Amino acid sequence: MIPFLDLKLLNDRYRETLLSVTSRVTLSGWYILGQEGAAFEKAFAAYVGTRHCVGVANGLEALTLTLKAWNFPANSEVIVASNAYIASVLAITQAGLTPVLVEPDPATYNLDPARLEAAITSRTKAILPVHLYGRCCDMEPINAVAARYGLKILEDAAQAHGAEYKGKRAGNLGHAAGFSFYPTKNLGALGDAGAITTNDDALADQLRYWRNYGSGKKYVNDLPGHNSRLDEIQAAILSAKLPHLDPDNARRRAIARRYLNEIRHPELTLPSADQIDADCWHLFVVRHPRRDAFREYMLQKGIQTDVHYPIPPHQQKAYSQFAHLALPIAEQLHREVVSLPLNPVLTDSEVEYIIQTINSERMKE
């Protein structure tokens, strides 16, 4: 069996280092908002290319706290792609704002800049471009629209660690960005973890209050904040793994290049191949008109696949108020997308077997 992702194998490469750093933190007696967190924030800000990184509890909190820190009027509108993972929409509503779902570009799966202006109203305050599957959104036209209308840009970079757009890394392409370090991410912790990157000094200061009960001084609370702090063990683990992110992404790109060049299947739609070296290939997502049958075939051949994601946000029970929306591009994508195994510990022989298996698949109608 080729698993979709083997987290144990992924982290076994760093076994001794991870044991060492967790022991160091355990013995230090300091577990929240200490030197480990500060060191990771400095290193990750330098990696992304921003002045600030603010560690928080998870990726959802990274987005939610940033939207709250901007202090928009209640029910202000935030534009987001209709095929995003539900966390992107949850952040908007948890901040007391209204999501406006805009269809993606079916070629890139990312927010379609050509559809932005039609969605802007007098209540629009921000755009939340999601760098889905590890490919950066087309930020130049998105930023141009934002500048024209005086809107904030909050990148959802949860799947884009190390991805680039025109020479700049994801997380440094708007006013602020939210990252998730969930264990499956390109840079993954051993639990929940997240961060916000920004070049805005005042915003960074606000976020340090928001993540810590709205407090900058013990027992003095200036804001109705959250308890959302990156703990010292996860920060130390992320610092230890950060130097391996670029080599891991290079391995991901090598596998993606093989898939793109060698998979030949009449029913499969492969992802766009125009930015192989800029994408970080968090996921390799293809489309198949008979996804369930294709997944069953792959499983019978010993290959696990996954679906990111089976249900679009507007069809989730949690957002029944959007059930009336007609979003045909998102709906088709969610019916057809299927993710193939792609990660740094996938061997060449496994990649070869996956390619051969797909190319041999000829299912009966």
Side-chain angles (χ1 to χ4, degrees):
M1 178 65 68
I2 299 176
F4 179 74
L5 179 62
D6 185 338
L7 288 176
K8 183 177 184 299
L9 185 62
L10 197 69
N11 287 301
D12 269 350
R13 301 175 297 162
Y14 317 121
R15 176 192 294 266
E16 296 305 318
T17 300
L18 297 181
L19 290 173
S20 174
V21 299
T22 53
S23 176
R24 182 180 75 224
V25 176
T26 301
L27 295 174
S28 74
W30 194 305
Y31 308 120
I32 299 288
L33 295 182
Q35 294 180 354
E36 302 287 353
F40 173 70
E41 289 175 341
K42 181 178 179 181
F44 195 67
Y47 178 83
V48 170
T50 55
R51 286 202 298 273
H52 303 281
C53 170
V54 180
V56 294
N58 54 65
L60 173 57
E61 287 282 283
L63 299 175
T64 303
L65 294 183
T66 305
L67 291 171
K68 285 192 171 185
W70 277 329
N71 198 30
F72 298 134
N75 298 315
S76 294
E77 294 173 349
V78 179
I79 293 172
V80 66
S82 57
N83 64 320
Y85 180 54
I86 199 168
S88 307
V89 184
L90 286 170
I92 297 169
T93 57
Q94 289 184 6
L97 308 173
T98 300
V100 175
L101 303 175
V102 172
E103 291 273 67
D105 179 341
T108 66
Y109 310 140
N110 280 338
L111 185 65
D112 188 346
R115 298 175 183 267
L116 276 178
E117 289 199 73
I120 294 173
T121 72
S122 60
R123 294 169 56 200
T124 307
K125 298 299 181 184
I127 303 171
L128 204 164
V130 183
H131 304 316
L132 200 61
Y133 306 149
R135 178 191 176 98
C136 287
C137 293
D138 190 0
M139 293 302 298
E140 191 169 70
I142 292 174
N143 278 319
V145 170
R148 218 161 30 245
Y149 289 89
L151 307 178
K152 294 290 189 182
I153 294 282
L154 173 57
E155 301 170 68
D156 184 338
Q159 300 183 3
H161 312 77
E164 295 186 0
Y165 177 83
K166 298 190 175 181
K168 295 178 72 174
R169 284 199 167 118
N172 191 23
L173 303 173
H175 297 100
F179 284 88
S180 166
F181 303 115
Y182 187 72
T184 61
K185 305 301 185 185
N186 291 36
L187 179 61
L190 299 188
D192 273 320
I196 303 147
T197 55
T198 185
N199 289 306
D200 185 331
D201 299 342
L203 176 63
D205 287 342
Q206 282 280 299
L207 289 166
R208 292 186 179 101
Y209 278 73
W210 272 103
R211 73 178 176 183
N212 189 37
Y213 298 104
S215 174
K217 181 180 179 182
K218 194 171 183 178
Y219 302 136
V220 178
N221 304 83
D222 298 323
L223 297 167
H226 290 211
N227 174 15
S228 182
R229 299 166 301 202
L230 175 62
D231 73 69
E232 291 289 276
I233 287 181
Q234 299 303 339
I237 288 167
L238 291 167
S239 290
K241 294 176 75 172
L242 181 58
H244 302 278
L245 177 57
D246 283 344
D248 278 359
N249 282 348
R251 175 59 180 163
R252 289 175 180 272
R253 292 179 183 119
I255 295 169
R257 185 174 285 106
R258 285 203 62 187
Y259 283 166
L260 291 165
N261 290 337
E262 299 177 39
I263 290 176
R264 297 287 181 268
H265 190 292
E267 291 187 282
L268 276 191
T269 300
L270 299 179
S272 177
D274 62 327
Q275 295 184 22
I276 296 177
D277 292 327
D279 298 0
C280 71
W281 297 100
H282 172 60
L283 296 168
F284 192 94
V285 179
V286 300
R287 290 164 56 192
H288 197 296
R290 292 176 292 123
R291 177 178 67 202
D292 291 346
F294 174 72
R295 294 191 69 204
E296 180 59 29
Y297 163 79
M298 295 290 280
L299 190 59
Q300 289 175 0
K301 297 295 183 179
I303 301 167
Q304 290 182 347
T305 59
D306 206 342
V307 176
H308 299 87
Y309 302 94
I311 306 173
H314 72 286
Q315 293 182 338
Q316 297 279 5
K317 185 177 180 181
Y319 287 111
S320 57
Q321 68 267 36
F322 299 129
H324 67 283
L325 295 178
L327 298 166
I329 297 175
E331 289 163 14
Q332 181 178 7
L333 291 178
H334 285 268
R335 284 194 305 269
E336 296 182 353
V337 292
V338 54
S339 303
L340 304 180
L342 190 156
N343 59 77
V345 295
L346 205 61
T347 67
D348 288 342
S349 61
E350 288 173 329
V351 171
E352 180 71 24
Y353 178 68
I354 291 167
I355 293 168
Q356 290 179 354
T357 301
I358 292 172
N359 290 345
S360 299
E361 188 250 359
R362 295 294 183 269
M363 295 182 300
K364 294 181 180 179
E365 293 287 349

